[in-house]
């Protein structure tokens, strides 16, 4: 299956967006760029990311094509239920998916989110209110949360 790729220069750094004809497969922050060959899914994603950073958009309506385990899908799907401008801790998220004893597994699934910003893993924080790690830098997580408030 052909993979398409393009870059978006966001206020928080350059984002590499990858997609197949079925939907988005990854969005991550990168330091280096390569050649662009966008498809319609990537162009739609860039448009919606621009709206997000302008404060026009609070959620995304994009086609996704992710290869996830059943548990990862359940965790990442639950992130869409965290309203824009709010946060939830990992324990509460584990309870919300019906697995209150799986906090570490939930944290791992959140940390392996393949779609920065679009799947709002930045809205998950530590139980004590502290910002925990973020695959693309804790400073970006902090800026995203400030942006959404």
């Amino acid at each position: 299956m052909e993979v398409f790729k393009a870059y978006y220069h966001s206020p928080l750094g350059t984002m590499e967006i990858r997609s197949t004809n079925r939907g988005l497969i990854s969005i991550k922050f990168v330091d280096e760029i390569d050649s662009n060959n966008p498809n319609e899914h990537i162009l739609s994603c860039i448009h919606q990311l621009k709206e997000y950073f302008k404060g026009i958009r609070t959620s995304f309506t994009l086609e996704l094509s992710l290869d996830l385990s059943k548990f990862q899908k359940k965790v990442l799907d639950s992130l869409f239920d965290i309203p824009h401008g709010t946060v939830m801790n990992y324990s509460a998220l584990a309870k919300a998916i019906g697995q209150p004893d799986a906090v570490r597994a939930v944290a791992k699934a959140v940390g392996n989110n393949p779609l920065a910003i679009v799947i709002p893993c930045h809205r998950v924080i530590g139980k004590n209110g502290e910002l925990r790690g973020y695959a693309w830098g804790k400073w970006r997580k902090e800026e995203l949360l400030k942006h959404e408030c």
Side-chain angles (χ1 to χ4, degrees):
M1 185 169 291
E2 186 175 5
V3 175
F4 301 88
K5 174 177 60 173
Y7 298 88
Y8 167 60
H9 299 288
S10 83
L12 300 179
T14 302
M15 302 178 81
E16 179 185 85
I17 306 163
R18 291 179 177 257
S19 177
T20 65
N21 282 326
R22 294 189 354 227
L24 297 173
I25 57 174
S26 74
I27 302 171
K28 61 184 179 179
F29 289 94
V30 296
D31 294 326
E32 297 179 17
I33 62 171
D34 198 0
S35 60
N36 284 307
N37 65 331
N39 66 2
E40 68 277 1
H41 298 297
I42 292 173
L43 296 175
S44 179
C45 181
I46 291 170
H47 175 75
Q48 290 185 37
L49 283 167
K50 286 178 182 179
E51 290 180 337
Y52 170 83
F53 282 110
K54 288 179 183 176
I56 298 168
R57 176 175 292 279
T58 60
S59 63
F60 297 87
T61 54
L62 298 162
E63 292 294 322
L64 310 181
S65 182
L66 302 175
D67 184 22
L68 304 170
S69 72
K70 193 174 181 180
F71 180 77
Q72 287 173 303
K73 181 168 176 26
K74 187 176 187 178
V75 172
L76 295 182
D77 283 349
S78 70
L79 297 177
F80 292 113
D81 296 331
I82 305 171
H84 181 87
T86 64
V87 294
M88 177 182 276
N89 67 54
Y90 294 97
S91 295
L93 187 58
K95 288 177 188 165
I97 66 164
Q99 298 194 306
D101 296 328
V103 177
R104 286 187 180 177
V106 165
K108 184 176 180 178
V110 170
N112 289 328
N113 173 17
L115 297 174
I117 302 174
V118 170
I119 299 178
C121 63
H122 58 276
R123 296 180 188 154
V124 184
I125 61 171
K127 193 171 186 177
N128 61 2
E130 288 184 14
L131 297 184
R132 296 290 185 194
Y134 186 60
W136 302 284
K138 200 154 82 170
W139 71 271
R140 283 191 176 106
K141 182 174 190 165
E142 184 175 8
E143 290 301 315
L144 288 167
L145 292 174
K146 284 181 190 175
H147 171 73
E148 292 188 1
C149 288

